[in-house]
Amino acid sequence: MNASVINRFAKIVTAGSAKGRSRRLALTLPLAAVIATGAVGCTPDTTNNAAPSTAPTLSAPAAAPSTPAPTATTPAPAPSATATPTATLTETPAPAPSTAAPAAAKTPAAAKTPASVVKPGGGIEIRFDGLNTGQKIEAGGATVSFTVTWTNTGTRRYDSVVPVVAAQQYEGAACSIIAQMASGTIERKDGNTWKEFPISQGTGMDYVMGGKSATFPLASGASRTIQYRIHLGADNRPGTLAVEAAGYDSVNAIHEIAKKKIVDTKVVDTHMPKVTVTGAPGALVVGKQAAQYTVKVTNPTKAAFRQVAPTISLPTVVDPASGDYTKHFIEPADLVVEVQDHGQWRPLAVDYDCDGNLAIDAASLNRALPAGATTEYTFRVGVDKGWTTGNKFNLSFGATADQHRAATVKITPTVTG
């Protein structure tokens, strides 16, 4: 046996004897048996004879790996400073070596593909959330927020999907000479910032380019959701605004790879002025007599209008009797419009508006209008030349109030001379 081990046991026995005046050391095995067993099971002491923090367990080698190894008696832990020790050696069976295979380390589960959305003949499908059919959007009102989700219900992967959301042609657009484009903006959230685009599609495919910076891949069963918000200009008239979401191939801008989704929203305007006209229908004599009309503009809202002005317009009409449909239009100079101003008739300039119609310049007629109040204007409208006797033309009277447009009143005076 290693001398350091023998010395350690000797010290334990001696210490017990020295203190046996108050309590005698109890041993369950003869010291010779302990020494004999230690000769077989002990290993050289590598702790420089320092006392261990817990008493060592002495064990005999196992007869076979599958059976528990018998153990020798083990001394109790070293006594504390405040207690009188009792060195008691008891038999402690060693745990049997495990024959089970070690458990495999757990790895994070892969994100499950929502297989339920994949179907035969599937493709990229689109869903709106927060924007519904028939939903009201206020012209010049609050911004409307919503999300659009692109989901791949097919089995193939798309490496590049260009998301595009825009309004289709709109019947209530303020201008329609080129295209009926609603005024306003649509914004897309890219990260923590909002990127702004015109709300309408226009006449070409340029609007698709706005989605290129948000291109994303879409694996089978995967989805991508993007936040959008819409703000409509105050000059949009009430009507049905179709908002369209689509997906395009980033390589070929005109190749649609998703099934379009369209939501028909309802544009409303609770800030419109109201117009009434007296003096209709009236009669004009070319170059001699004008028709006179009084236009009343009312503020039906609970807030004051900062700027109110009347509008008068006339579609550009070809003279049907001339047979020449390229030269004989009524020119701005042919339409004579005067307004009564402090008892005097003052001429107003006439030019083409953004719809290609003849229209008065009403900038000098702007005025404030308190809530519930009414203001009125008196006009004379005549034709100086360029019109054929017997035809009628459609005058439209309206008003704007802080860009909000009143519903127009159409008057069709007779024209003679």
Side-chain angles (χ1 to χ4, degrees):
M1 175 182 284
N2 186 293
S4 62
V5 176
I6 297 174
N7 289 338
R8 189 179 305 164
F9 282 111
K11 288 179 182 179
I12 293 173
V13 176
T14 303
S17 300
K19 296 179 182 179
R21 298 182 185 90
S22 60
R23 192 170 185 175
R24 188 173 301 276
L25 178 64
L27 297 177
T28 60
L29 290 177
L31 180 60
V34 174
I35 294 173
T37 304
V40 176
C42 292
T43 57
D45 187 0
T46 58
T47 59
N48 295 324
N49 292 328
S53 58
T54 58
T57 300
L58 304 180
S59 60
S66 60
T67 58
T71 59
T73 56
T74 56
S80 64
T82 58
T84 301
T86 300
T88 304
L89 298 181
T90 59
E91 284 186 292
T92 304
S98 173
T99 58
K106 292 184 177 180
T107 57
K112 293 183 178 179
T113 299
S116 59
V117 304
V118 178
K119 56 189 177 183
I124 300 177
E125 297 184 3
I126 301 173
R127 184 185 76 247
F128 280 86
D129 289 297
L131 191 68
N132 304 308
T133 298
Q135 181 172 334
K136 294 179 180 180
I137 303 179
E138 180 81 24
T143 297
V144 176
S145 298
F146 59 95
T147 62
V148 179
T149 301
W150 286 258
T151 301
N152 185 357
T153 64
T155 57
R156 61 162 287 191
R157 170 188 169 87
Y158 293 87
D159 293 325
S160 300
V161 179
V162 179
V164 178
V165 177
Q168 295 182 347
Q169 301 292 301
Y170 177 52
E171 61 186 356
C175 295
S176 60
I177 190 170
I178 297 177
Q180 293 181 311
M181 299 170 60
S183 67
T185 59
I186 186 166
E187 295 176 277
R188 184 187 69 227
K189 193 171 186 181
D190 292 350
N192 294 323
T193 61
W194 289 93
K195 192 168 184 179
E196 184 179 291
F197 306 92
I199 190 173
S200 292
Q201 294 177 349
T203 57
M205 299 295 294
D206 291 348
Y207 69 97
V208 175
M209 300 300 104
K212 272 188 167 292
S213 59
T215 300
F216 56 83
L218 205 59
S220 173
S223 296
R224 177 64 65 91
T225 298
I226 300 178
Q227 290 179 272
Y228 292 89
R229 61 188 184 190
I230 284 176
H231 180 263
L232 291 179
D235 56 352
N236 290 290
R237 299 182 182 92
T240 300
L241 180 69
V243 181
E244 174 188 299
Y248 292 85
D249 187 339
S250 66
V251 178
N252 185 351
I254 62 173
H255 179 211
E256 286 189 57
I257 57 174
K259 184 179 180 181
K260 285 182 180 179
K261 180 70 175 180
I262 299 173
V263 174
D264 289 331
T265 64
K266 184 178 181 181
V267 178
V268 297
D269 191 352
T270 59
H271 297 82
M272 295 169 57
K274 182 179 179 181
V275 170
T276 58
V277 180
T278 58
L284 287 75
V285 179
V286 175
K288 296 181 180 180
Q289 176 181 309
Q292 183 170 310
Y293 305 98
T294 297
V295 178
K296 292 183 179 180
V297 182
T298 301
N299 179 356
T301 73
K302 297 181 180 179
F305 290 148
R306 296 184 300 274
Q307 287 191 325
V308 171
T311 64
I312 302 177
S313 64
L314 174 70
T316 51
V317 181
V318 175
D319 181 357
S322 68
D324 186 343
Y325 294 90
T326 61
K327 296 181 180 179
H328 295 282
F329 289 89
I330 297 177
E331 301 291 337
D334 298 334
L335 184 64
V336 179
V337 181
E338 298 173 300
V339 62
Q340 195 171 65
D341 186 8
H342 296 87
Q344 302 293 321
W345 290 102
R346 176 167 60 88
L348 295 173
V350 177
D351 207 342
Y352 296 105
D353 63 12
C354 64
D355 285 324
N357 299 324
L358 299 179
I360 64 170
D361 181 352
S364 62
L365 305 180
N366 272 313
R367 61 187 65 168
L369 189 61
T374 298
T375 188
E376 66 178 50
Y377 306 83
T378 301
F379 297 98
R380 290 195 308 201
V381 180
V383 178
D384 189 37
K385 60 180 180 179
W387 192 257
T388 303
T389 301
N391 289 289
K392 296 180 179 180
F393 57 83
N394 297 318
L395 285 172
S396 292
F397 292 87
T400 60
D402 300 333
Q403 299 185 351
H404 295 271
R405 294 170 174 259
T408 58
V409 177
K410 296 187 184 298
I411 306 296
T412 57
T414 60
V415 181
T416 59

